[in-house]
Structures are given as C-alpha cells and as structure tokens.
C-alpha cells in the first residue's frame, strides 16, 4: 500500500524517530514498534492481508476508519482508499496514534 501521513508528527516519527511536537513524544520502544507497523502496512497489497498478522489486532472502526495495535497501550488509526486506473492500488492514510485504554 502507498502510505500518506495525515499529520506531520506521524511522518517525523517514521522517518526520524522523533518529533518536535511536544504533545506527541513517545518512548523509543513505542516509536520502533510504530515504524515496524507502518512497514507492515506499506508491504501488504490489500486489506485482507492484515488479518495474517495476529499481533496487529486489525479491526474496523466507525466511518471507514481502521486500527492496528502498536503495542498494548497504543493503536494506529488510519483510513484506506482504493484508487483505480491502469492498476488498482490502495492508499493508507495514517490518522493518529491513540492511547487505547485512556478514557
């Protein structure tokens, strides 16, 4: 899948491992796992392939949003959009990292 970062801090975390945004600073282990998860999303060719990775806990949310587990506390929320043309490909739009168990 092609990856689009909807927020700048997501792009910074993926490419540099850190962000200047003080609100979105994470432990190094969380960042490493985030980079791994984004790599998996980029490597799969279709949504159904994500079910092979049990550790991701891939699930559909409301309004065409999906999520995968980064670790026990954090999830990556994203949208997927299929583009047609000469070939069919999917764009994965990364939305946010959320604390799954925070109220």
């Amino acid at each position: 899948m092609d990856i689009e970062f909807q927020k700048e801090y997501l792009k910074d975390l993926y490419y540099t491992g850190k962000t200047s945004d003080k609100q979105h600073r994470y432990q190094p282990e969380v960042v490493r796992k985030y980079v791994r998860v984004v790599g998996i999303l980029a490597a799969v060719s279709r949504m159904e392939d994500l079910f092979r990775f049990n550790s991701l806990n891939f699930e559909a949310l409301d309004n065409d949003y999906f999520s995968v587990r980064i670790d026990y506390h954090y999830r990556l929320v994203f949208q997927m959009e299929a583009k047609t043309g000469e070939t069919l490909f999917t764009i994965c739009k990364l939305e946010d990292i959320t604390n799954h168990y925070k109220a």
Side-chain angles (χ1 to χ4, degrees), residues 10-102:
L10 294 170
K11 186 176 187 176
D12 291 343
L13 284 175
Y14 183 71
Y15 288 112
T16 67
K18 58 186 174 182
T19 180
S20 59
D21 182 358
K22 292 182 181 181
Q23 182 181 2
H24 297 104
R25 292 196 180 167
Y26 300 97
Q27 295 294 322
E29 184 64 24
V30 173
V31 174
R32 278 192 295 276
K33 290 177 180 180
Y34 164 72
V35 169
R36 181 185 69 84
V37 168
V38 173
I40 291 171
L41 291 174
V44 299
S45 58
R46 52 196 187 103
M47 179 175 61
E48 291 79 11
D49 293 340
L50 293 173
F51 289 111
R52 293 184 311 151
F53 299 93
N54 292 333
S55 64
L56 293 180
N57 280 13
F58 174 64
E59 64 183 351
L61 305 175
D62 294 336
N63 301 328
D64 297 326
Y65 284 89
F66 301 91
S67 75
V68 290
R69 180 180 285 172
I70 293 174
D71 69 2
Y72 182 74
H73 295 286
Y74 293 99
R75 299 184 75 72
L76 179 61
V77 177
F78 59 95
Q79 288 181 304
M80 286 190 276
E81 175 183 308
K83 295 280 187 175
T84 57
E86 290 183 16
T87 59
L88 177 67
F89 65 95
T90 304
I91 297 174
C92 183
K93 297 179 181 181
L94 304 181
E95 296 287 333
D96 208 356
I97 295 175
T98 62
N99 189 333
H100 188 62
Y101 294 103
K102 194 172 186 179

